[in-house]
């Protein structure tokens, strides 16, 4: 990136100029941001600008054209027109305006019109309005200026380069948004726990604890500090992976989370795979033969799957498959892969049902599109139409939904983990909430939210590369 | 060739024929379930009562099969269903005594040629009332009943008779577009049973009043069109029936059920298996599971309702503002809601409950906060679309203020997707409520709530599995009903399917 700035060609400078123009048009915030990032350059160029200002001709030409209009008597014609317009308007709305008010309105309109017309003329004469903004843009176009200012303005150029390509811009903005969300989540969860009326010190030390003991406890864990200090401490702890020790048990929080997180993730990913393998073919079959017996059966089963409370499903599974039939163990054991089967099925059920329903509706929408009819009309057999044209287009919303549902599944894992006695992150949070063990809950919730945000970020970015519709939309907007 | 293709089409568009198959499959499924349950595998014996139920359901199934055959014959020969086939529906109505709501409602719909929405409402109002009488009737086997019991049951029987009468009157006099003038006071009177939670009578009353007043033909047509679309979907109707039945049951249960049976410990009857006195058995404190489940419906519906309506109002307003103003307002509101959206609902609820303690109010708040963003997104998308319509433009040109444009013109026109969304998420809220209670994070443990009941049941899974099975079935049925009803509403409101 730096090299392309250091060896500017006319192309890069044109590109920079274009991006600069686009960004400043997008809103004030971008203008301010560019100004701050390029502050070292601006200090010098502002001086240069005021030094040269005396030599510009814009003001003279402007005055000349203005005089011309006044001399032509154009003003009176306009005045007449606007007066008529204002009178009609007043009579239509039944407003009674005094002559004074009327004149004032007309004057304003005439002045506005004059300014517009003159500016149009001046522009036609090839002169740009000489503001600092225009001056700086002219400078950006020159190659020598770029070479000189490359080092001091590196931050500003970096931003311009990021925004010069719609893809890079999209990824950059999406990453920024994710960072904002992650910070927001951490702050929100911390704030909720901070304003809690519950007192961890009392819960751990017991009712008989003396005030000194409680004070000591609070000082030890920094609970006596003001809100902002605690927030800063927690945020920096979260992002440096050092949350200290838990209130009860004195274990290292990050170490326990690192132990438990893979267990949850493992089960969640297996459930996701199971759901995708079952649900997508089911959804496609339902959509190809809508309102058939098979479709009804699948969709009713899917709706039942969506309506079953996962903990109850877990209990029933344990009852039938563990206690009665003795096929699978009732509780989770990392050494025995058979013990994974029940939790994976239970966790994946509702996800599977949602994906099947989503696949069906998305496929139905696609199947009625014109291009599918075209494909059929040109003689492709149905299998090819479905596999080549329909599924590929129907998959786009499905993958987004899978990304979103994956998050819900990680959250819902806490219930399943409790039923099957799995020591994952979900049951860890539930166990810690009774105290409440603030750093442990904060860590658990925020790390799950971060995982979800990153998964969704990756899905979004992958789309930008694969979906031509999103690509063309980005180009248009940029 | 032409006749056959016509017959196929005719069979497809004849609702009675499609519903016959529907009733057939459900009765068949239930008879199969009864057959399986009639044999006690562990003691190698037969349960005679269940076997009787199996035989009744089997006969019903065969009878419905016979009806579907004769409908097919009628349609092939005469192009419409003959009266002698319709008469076959009357015996089916009696299956309500065996609890077969599918067959009896099919019977009611078969006997009348004139099927207005009001006819269906009257039929389901009657069925709801009969089911409530049936469920409350189990209390007769208890050692004593609550003081208001006889009065309440008497009222229910009177109501059932009134609904049966209304059914006949509506079939005779109400048409798709009008009702006779004297139906107006009848419609007003029929609004009173709403106090018992029977919302079908509310719908019946409103429909009758609308049609009897003959004020606004377009609104009658809208009403007729909307309901006939929703009622065409049998699953949606049964979902609606079960929701209203549960609602009505939880409204009237304080007058027919004794709360003491559900909460007071009775150490002389610990962990009893199902008998007539304790239809679903008792738990480890000797509390009657049946009464507990009935009272649990109350709390599930309350939590489900509030944790849907609160985020729908907050999220809906935020979404409307953000969709209407767009640009910066939109950006700020939606980015802030993205933060909420990034935390899974259950985890956020756990964090909130961890901070403020486990009780019903906190549970409602915790569940509400998490679902604000989804409502805001739904509302925003609809409002963005509607703000571009001409009637908004014209309201603005007439000088209406922004707030009046949003709340008087845009919001009423964008309610349909919100209603569908809300119906579909109440089910989710019911599941979350019981899940959190199951974890010990929801409703206080002493309140009979389905999740709490299941929590006790889970400890007796090996020995007394019915303690875990029945409350779970109730949760599933209620959620399933909300989902079916929501799907039906979506199909009716969605312009794509129209």
């Amino acid at each position: 990136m730096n090299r392309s700035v250091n060896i500017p060609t006319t192309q890069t400078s044109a590109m920079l100029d274009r991006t600069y123009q686009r960004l400043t048009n997008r809103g004030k915030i971008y203008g301010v941001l560019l100004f701050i990032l390029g502050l070292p350059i601006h200090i010098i160029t502002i001086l240069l600008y005021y030094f040269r200002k005396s030599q510009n001709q814009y003001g003279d030409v402007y005055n000349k054209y203005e005089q011309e209009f006044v001399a032509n008597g154009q003003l009176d014609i306009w005045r007449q027109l606007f007066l008529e317009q204002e009178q009609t308007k007043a009579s239509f709305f039944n407003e009674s305006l005094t002559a004074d008010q009327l004149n004032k309105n007309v004057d304003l309109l005439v002045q506005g019109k004059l300014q517009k017309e003159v500016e149009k003329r001046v522009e036609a004469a090839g002169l740009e309005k000489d503001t600092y903004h225009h001056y700086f843009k002219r400078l950006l176009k020159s190659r020598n200026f770029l070479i000189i200012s490359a080092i001091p303005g590196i931050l500003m150029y970096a931003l311009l380069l990021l925004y010069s390509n719609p893809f890079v811009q999209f990824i950059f903005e999406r990453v920024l948004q994710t960072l904002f969300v992650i910070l927001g989540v951490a702050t929100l969860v911390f704030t909720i726990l901070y304003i809690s009326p519950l007192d961890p010190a009392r819960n751990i030390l017991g009712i008989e604890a003396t005030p000194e003991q409680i004070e000591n406890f609070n000082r030890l864990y920094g609970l006596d500090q003001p809100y902002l200090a605690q927030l800063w401490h927690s945020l920096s702890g979260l992002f440096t992976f050092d949350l200290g020790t838990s209130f009860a048990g004195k274990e290292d929080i990050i170490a326990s989370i690192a132990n438990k997180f893979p267990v949850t993730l493992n089960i969640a990913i297996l459930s996701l795979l199971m759901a995708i393998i079952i649900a997508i073919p089911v959804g496609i079959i339902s959509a190809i033969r809508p309102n058939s017996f098979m479709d009804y059966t699948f969709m009713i089963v899917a709706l039942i799957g969506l309506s079953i409370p996962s903990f109850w499903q877990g209990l029933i599974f344990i009852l039938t498959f563990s206690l009665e039939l003795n096929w699978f163990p009732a509780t989770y054991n990392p050494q025995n892969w058979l013990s994974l089967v029940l939790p994976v099925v239970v966790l994946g059920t509702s996800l599977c049902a949602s994906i099947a329903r989503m696949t069906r509706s998305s496929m139905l929408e696609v199947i009625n599109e014109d291009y599918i009819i075209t494909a059929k009309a040109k003689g492709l057999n149905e299998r090819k139409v479905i596999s080549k044209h329909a599924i590929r287009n129907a998959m786009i919303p499905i993958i987004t939904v899978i990304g979103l549902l994956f998050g819900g599944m990680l959250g819902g894992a806490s219930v399943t983990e409790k039923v099957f006695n799995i020591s994952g992150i979900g049951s860890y949070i539930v166990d810690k909430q009774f105290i409440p063990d603030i750093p442990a809950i904060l860590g658990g919730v925020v790390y799950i939210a971060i995982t979800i945000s990153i998964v969704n970020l990756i899905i979004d970015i992958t789309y930008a590369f694969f979906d031509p519709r999103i690509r063309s939309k980005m180009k248009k907007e940029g | 060739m032409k006749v056959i293709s016509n017959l196929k089409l005719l069979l497809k568009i004849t609702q009675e024929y499609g519903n016959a198959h529907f009733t057939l499959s459900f009765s068949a499924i239930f008879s199969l379930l009864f057959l399986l349950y009639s044999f006690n595998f562990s003691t190698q014996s037969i349960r005679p009562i269940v076997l009787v139920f199996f035989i009744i359901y089997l006969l019903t199934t065969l009878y419905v099969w016979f009806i579907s055959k004769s409908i097919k014959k009628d349609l092939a020969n005469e192009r419409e269903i003959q009266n002698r086939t319709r008469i076959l529906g009357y015996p089916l109505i009696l299956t309500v005594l065996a609890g077969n709501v599918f067959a009896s409602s099919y019977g009611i719909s078969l006997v009348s040629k004139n099927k207005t929405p009001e006819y269906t409402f009257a039929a389901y109002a009657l069925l709801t009332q009969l089911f409530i009488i049936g469920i409350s009737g189990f209390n007769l086997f208890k050692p004593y009943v609550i003081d208001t019991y006889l009065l309440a049951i008497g009222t229910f029987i009177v109501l059932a008779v009134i609904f049966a009468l209304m059914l006949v009157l509506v079939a005779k006099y109400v048409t798709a577009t009008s009702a006779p003038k004297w139906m107006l006071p009848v419609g007003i009177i029929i609004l009173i049973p709403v106090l018992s939670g029977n919302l079908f009578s509310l719908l019946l009353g409103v429909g009758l009043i609308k049609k009897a007043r003959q004020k606004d033909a377009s609104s009658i047509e809208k009403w007729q069109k909307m309901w006939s679309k929703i009622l065409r979907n049998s699953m949606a109707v049964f979902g609606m029936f079960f929701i209203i039945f549960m609602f009505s049951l939880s409204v009237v249960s304080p007058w027919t059920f004794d709360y003491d049976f559900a909460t007071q410990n009775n150490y002389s009857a610990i962990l009893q298996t199902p008998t007539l006195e304790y239809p679903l058995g008792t738990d480890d404190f000797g509390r009657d599971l049946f009464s507990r489940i009935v009272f649990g419906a109350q709390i599930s519906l309350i939590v489900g309702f509030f944790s849907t309506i609160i985020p729908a109002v907050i999220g809906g307003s935020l979404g409307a503002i953000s969709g209407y103003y767009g640009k910066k307002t939109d950006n700020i509101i939606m980015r802030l809601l993205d933060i909420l959206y990034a935390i899974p609902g259950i985890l956020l609820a756990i964090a909130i409950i961890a901070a403020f303690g486990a009780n019903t109010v906190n549970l409602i708040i915790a569940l509400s906060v998490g679902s604000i963003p989804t409502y805001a997104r739904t509302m925003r998308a609809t409002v963005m679309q509607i703000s571009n319509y001409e009637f908004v433009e014209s309201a603005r040109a007439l000088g209406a203020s922004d707030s009046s444009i949003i709340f008087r013109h845009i919001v009423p026109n964008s309610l349909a997707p919100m209603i569908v969304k809300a119906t579909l998420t109440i089910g989710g809220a019911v599941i979350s409520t019981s899940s959190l209670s199951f974890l010990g994070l929801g409703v206080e443990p002493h309140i009979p709530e389905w999740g709490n009941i299941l929590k006790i049941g889970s400890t007796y899974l090996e020995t007394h599995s019915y303690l875990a099975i029945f409350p779970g079935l109730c949760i599933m049925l209620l959620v399933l009903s909300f989902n079916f009803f929501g799907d039906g509403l979506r199909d009716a409101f969605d312009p794509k399917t129209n």
Side-chain angles (χ1 to χ4, degrees):
Chain A
M1 229 191 283
N2 283 337
R3 261 183 57 195
S4 66
V5 175
N6 287 333
I7 313 165
T9 60
T10 38
Q11 251 177 350
T12 30
S13 81
M15 181 195 75
L16 283 178
D17 176 53
R18 225 175 25 242
T19 318
Y20 184 84
Q21 175 70 35
R22 215 182 53 197
L23 268 186
T24 43
N25 281 349
R26 271 179 84 171
K28 264 192 192 140
I29 299 172
Y30 290 97
V32 172
L33 192 67
L34 277 176
F35 186 79
I36 293 171
L37 290 179
L39 202 61
I41 311 182
H42 284 295
I43 292 172
I44 298 169
T45 45
I46 286 177
L47 288 177
L48 278 175
Y49 170 68
Y50 279 106
F51 177 67
R52 293 204 186 161
K53 201 181 178 186
S54 48
Q55 303 167 8
N56 90 70
Q57 336 155 335
Y58 184 86
D60 300 338
V61 180
Y62 188 95
N63 284 337
K64 199 182 92 193
Y65 282 124
E66 200 178 38
Q67 289 304 320
E68 226 169 80
F69 273 114
V70 175
N72 277 349
Q74 195 73 33
L75 285 190
D76 292 325
I77 302 173
W78 289 339
R79 185 178 297 277
Q80 204 59 41
L81 278 174
F82 282 126
L83 192 66
E84 221 166 279
Q85 177 189 323
E86 283 298 299
Q87 273 164 348
T88 333
K89 196 164 117 190
S91 75
F92 180 80
F93 285 113
N94 289 329
E95 284 172 0
S96 53
L97 290 174
T98 59
D100 225 26
Q101 267 175 316
L102 209 58
N103 275 334
K104 222 195 240 147
N105 285 348
V106 172
D107 276 340
L108 273 176
L109 285 169
V110 170
Q111 281 305 320
K113 176 103 179 163
L114 179 68
Q115 199 182 340
K116 246 189 238 163
E117 287 291 321
V118 172
E119 267 171 21
K120 226 192 263 171
R121 280 282 178 88
V122 176
E123 207 173 314
L127 280 172
E128 273 190 78
K129 205 173 184 176
D130 201 55
T131 58
Y132 173 68
H133 182 68
H134 285 90
Y135 174 71
F136 190 72
K137 258 181 59 192
R138 265 209 307 283
L139 278 182
L140 265 186
K141 276 185 193 150
S142 87
R143 188 189 152 124
N144 293 338
F145 176 76
L146 279 187
I147 295 175
I148 297 167
S149 65
I151 304 295
I154 189 146
L155 287 173
M156 186 186 72
Y157 289 126
L159 185 73
L160 285 179
L161 276 179
L162 275 179
Y163 273 83
S164 61
N165 180 325
F167 288 116
V168 185
Q169 174 190 345
F170 173 76
I171 294 173
F172 173 68
E173 285 183 347
R174 196 66 190 69
V175 170
L176 265 191
Q177 203 183 327
T178 308
L179 283 178
F180 170 75
V181 165
I182 289 173
L183 265 181
V185 166
T187 315
L188 176 72
V189 176
F190 174 78
T191 311
I192 289 173
L193 292 170
Y194 176 82
I195 54 179
S196 153
L198 301 180
D199 189 357
R202 270 234 181 266
N203 287 340
I204 288 178
L205 301 176
I207 313 167
E208 294 95 28
T210 57
E212 288 83 51
Q213 277 176 313
I214 288 179
E215 202 179 306
N216 202 20
F217 180 91
N218 284 344
R219 196 170 49 244
L220 192 62
Y221 290 100
L223 295 176
D224 52 349
Q225 286 168 14
Y227 170 71
L228 283 178
Q230 282 193 49
L231 176 65
W232 172 248
H233 184 73
S234 297
L235 288 186
S236 51
L238 275 173
F239 294 107
T240 53
F241 298 104
D242 174 26
L243 282 169
T245 57
S246 63
F247 292 171
K250 299 257 186 254
E251 75 224 9
D252 184 25
I253 292 173
I254 290 294
S256 351
I257 290 181
N259 269 335
K260 287 157 200 283
F261 208 82
V263 179
T264 305
L265 213 57
N266 195 7
I267 293 174
I269 288 174
L270 283 177
S271 308
L272 184 70
L273 281 180
M274 181 204 82
I276 291 175
I277 290 170
I278 296 175
I280 289 185
V282 164
I284 292 172
I285 292 170
S286 286
I288 294 174
R289 307 254 174 280
N291 299 329
S292 63
F293 178 72
M294 194 116 94
D295 177 29
Y296 276 126
T297 319
F298 278 152
M299 285 306 115
I300 286 182
V301 170
L303 210 55
I304 290 175
L306 208 59
S307 313
I308 250 183
S310 57
F311 60 100
W312 185 64
Q313 193 193 1
L315 291 178
I316 295 295
F317 273 21
I318 290 177
L319 185 63
T320 19
F321 296 115
S322 307
L323 300 180
E324 304 251 326
L325 298 172
N326 242 328
W327 287 357
F328 303 106
T331 50
Y332 174 73
N333 174 5
Q335 269 84 47
N336 185 358
W337 68 269
L338 272 178
S339 67
L340 261 178
V341 174
L342 292 184
V344 165
V345 172
V346 168
L347 193 59
T349 302
S350 74
L351 186 76
C352 187
S354 309
I355 297 178
R357 278 160 61 90
M358 187 66 209
T359 310
R360 179 178 180 269
S361 59
S362 170
M363 276 293 282
L364 275 181
E365 217 161 275
V366 168
I367 273 178
N368 293 324
E369 293 277 345
D370 289 344
Y371 61 83
I372 297 289
I373 298 173
T374 313
K376 276 183 189 160
K378 76 180 186 191
L380 280 185
N381 62 4
E382 196 179 342
R383 179 181 291 272
K384 234 179 188 160
V385 173
I386 298 292
S387 63
K388 276 238 154 167
H389 295 267
I391 293 178
R392 283 181 62 180
N393 284 298
M395 282 316 283
I396 290 164
I398 298 170
I399 292 178
T400 316
V401 167
I402 290 176
L404 292 176
L405 289 174
F406 183 69
M409 195 170 71
L410 278 182
S414 50
V415 184
T416 315
E417 283 171 10
K418 272 281 157 197
V419 173
F420 289 100
N421 210 359
I422 302 169
S423 65
I425 187 87
S427 57
Y428 178 72
I429 296 173
V430 174
D431 288 337
K432 292 293 177 194
Q433 68 82 32
F434 290 102
I435 299 173
D437 208 328
I438 294 174
I441 300 171
L442 184 73
V445 175
V446 172
Y447 286 134
I448 289 183
I450 290 178
T451 315
I452 295 168
S453 300
I454 291 175
V455 168
N456 286 329
L457 171 75
I458 293 170
I459 288 179
D460 273 9
I461 290 178
T462 335
Y463 266 179
F465 285 104
F466 288 120
D467 188 354
R469 281 173 297 188
I470 300 177
R471 224 159 37 207
S472 69
K473 198 176 150 215
M474 261 174 2
K475 274 190 185 145
K476 239 185 277 165
E477 274 176 4
Chain B
M1 202 58 207
K2 199 182 166 202
V3 177
I4 292 172
S5 74
N6 263 346
L7 177 63
K8 267 189 181 162
L9 199 67
L10 207 58
L11 288 176
K12 218 173 187 178
I13 60 168
T14 310
Q15 261 191 51
E16 282 89 348
Y17 186 69
N19 286 352
H21 283 264
F22 181 81
T23 315
L24 189 74
S25 23
F26 267 90
S27 297
I29 290 170
F30 273 95
S31 42
L32 201 69
L33 288 179
F34 278 123
L35 179 65
L36 283 178
Y37 191 60
S38 65
F39 189 72
N40 193 338
F41 287 96
S42 50
T43 59
Q44 302 285 323
S45 58
I46 287 172
R47 297 187 173 104
I49 304 176
V50 185
L51 203 63
V52 170
F53 268 93
F54 162 67
I55 292 168
I56 295 174
Y57 273 68
L58 189 69
L59 289 179
T60 315
T61 311
L62 292 175
Y63 188 71
V64 175
W65 178 75
F66 171 68
I67 290 181
S68 88
K69 282 290 157 217
S70 38
I71 291 179
K72 197 172 179 180
K73 209 171 71 196
D74 279 356
L75 289 176
N77 298 335
E78 325 275 344
R79 320 241 120 248
E80 63 174 359
I81 302 173
Q82 297 298 298
N83 277 337
R84 63 187 147 71
T85 312
R86 289 199 183 276
I87 289 170
L88 290 178
Y90 284 108
L92 266 190
I93 300 177
L94 293 179
T95 54
V96 72
L97 297 177
N100 191 342
V101 63
F102 304 103
S104 57
S105 73
Y106 177 64
I108 295 178
S109 81
L110 183 64
V111 294
S112 166
K113 208 190 273 182
N114 169 28
K115 268 188 284 295
T116 51
E118 286 74 25
Y119 181 72
T120 318
F121 294 149
Y124 280 98
L126 174 64
L127 285 177
T128 309
Q129 215 57 56
L130 290 178
F131 264 67
I132 285 179
I133 294 171
I135 291 285
S136 312
F138 276 109
N139 279 346
L140 285 176
F141 299 106
K142 292 255 166 17
Y144 62 92
V145 288
I146 196 166
D147 295 340
T148 48
Y149 183 77
L150 281 182
L151 184 69
I153 289 290
T155 320
F156 296 160
I157 292 174
V158 172
L159 281 181
V161 173
I162 292 177
F163 287 134
L165 200 68
M166 283 308 297
L167 192 63
V168 178
L169 288 178
V170 168
K172 230 172 178 167
Y173 298 107
V174 178
T175 67
T177 51
S178 69
K181 271 269 171 265
W182 53 267
M183 277 283 186
L184 184 63
V186 177
I188 293 170
I189 291 168
I190 214 76
L191 288 179
I192 298 172
V194 176
L195 295 178
S196 75
N198 196 337
L199 296 180
F200 281 116
S201 88
L202 172 75
L203 293 170
L204 173 62
V206 171
L208 287 181
I209 293 172
K210 248 186 203 265
K211 286 186 177 173
R213 276 179 77 205
Q214 283 295 326
K215 257 266 172 75
D216 185 359
S218 85
S219 108
I220 292 175
E221 202 201 320
K222 243 191 217 159
W223 169 268
Q224 176 82 17
K225 226 177 167 178
M226 179 179 83
W227 281 111
S228 53
K229 247 187 230 157
I230 296 173
L231 298 178
R232 209 185 310 149
N233 185 339
S234 323
M235 291 314 288
V237 179
F238 286 117
M240 191 174 161
F241 165 72
F242 192 74
I243 296 165
I244 292 183
F245 165 64
M246 273 295 178
F247 176 70
S248 186
L249 186 64
S250 48
V251 169
V252 298
S253 56
W255 288 283
T256 51
F257 280 82
D258 195 341
Y259 198 64
D260 286 350
F261 282 121
T263 50
Q264 293 299 314
N265 303 346
N266 177 5
Y267 293 108
S268 60
I270 288 177
L271 293 170
Q272 303 246 324
T273 44
T275 53
L276 276 177
E277 187 181 353
Y278 303 110
L280 300 180
T282 57
D283 68 2
D284 55 342
F285 290 104
R287 298 172 293 195
D288 176 30
L289 193 62
F290 187 60
S291 309
R292 282 174 75 76
I293 287 180
V294 168
F295 284 108
Q298 222 168 350
I299 202 96
S300 280
L301 283 174
I302 290 175
V303 176
F305 178 75
F306 279 108
S307 54
T308 303
I309 203 82
I310 295 173
V313 169
I314 299 177
S317 337
L318 284 176
I321 292 169
S322 123
Y324 179 76
Y325 289 104
K327 288 177 192 160
K328 257 184 210 157
T329 326
D330 179 35
N331 232 330
I332 292 171
I333 292 179
M334 292 323 282
R335 290 294 84 74
L336 287 180
L337 288 180
D338 274 352
I339 295 174
L340 271 185
Y341 198 67
I343 315 174
I346 286 266
L347 277 189
L348 185 64
I350 291 177
I352 292 177
I353 287 166
F356 299 101
N359 60 51
T360 314
V361 176
N362 285 349
L363 177 69
I364 292 176
I365 295 172
L367 290 178
S368 303
V369 172
S371 45
I372 288 177
T374 36
Y375 286 102
R377 285 179 173 209
T378 312
M379 193 64 167
R380 173 174 171 266
T382 332
V383 167
M384 275 175 133
Q385 194 184 359
I386 288 181
S387 327
N388 291 327
Y389 285 156
E390 280 89 353
F391 67 86
V392 176
E393 197 84 347
S394 76
R396 201 173 294 143
L398 286 171
S401 67
D402 278 348
S403 66
S404 100
I405 292 179
I406 293 179
F407 290 107
R408 291 190 41 200
H409 298 279
I410 294 180
V411 169
N413 282 297
S414 43
L415 277 185
M418 288 294 276
I419 292 172
V420 173
K421 179 112 214 156
T423 323
L424 287 172
T425 44
I426 289 184
V430 171
I431 288 188
S432 306
T433 311
S434 50
S435 304
L436 288 173
S437 297
F438 179 75
L439 294 179
L441 302 175
V443 180
E444 298 90 327
H446 63 87
I447 297 180
E449 194 270 349
W450 290 344
N452 286 336
I453 303 172
L454 253 170
K455 194 180 180 188
I456 295 174
S458 70
T459 51
Y460 293 95
L461 201 57
E462 222 159 332
T463 47
H464 299 83
S465 51
Y466 58 88
L467 277 177
I469 291 176
F470 292 118
L473 267 181
C474 283
I475 301 174
M476 198 182 90
L477 272 180
L478 187 62
V479 177
L480 199 59
S481 305
F482 274 115
N483 283 340
F484 274 128
F485 184 50
D487 269 4
L489 281 184
R490 193 191 50 205
D491 289 347
F493 286 145
D494 191 0
K496 261 186 226 151
T497 53
N498 294 343

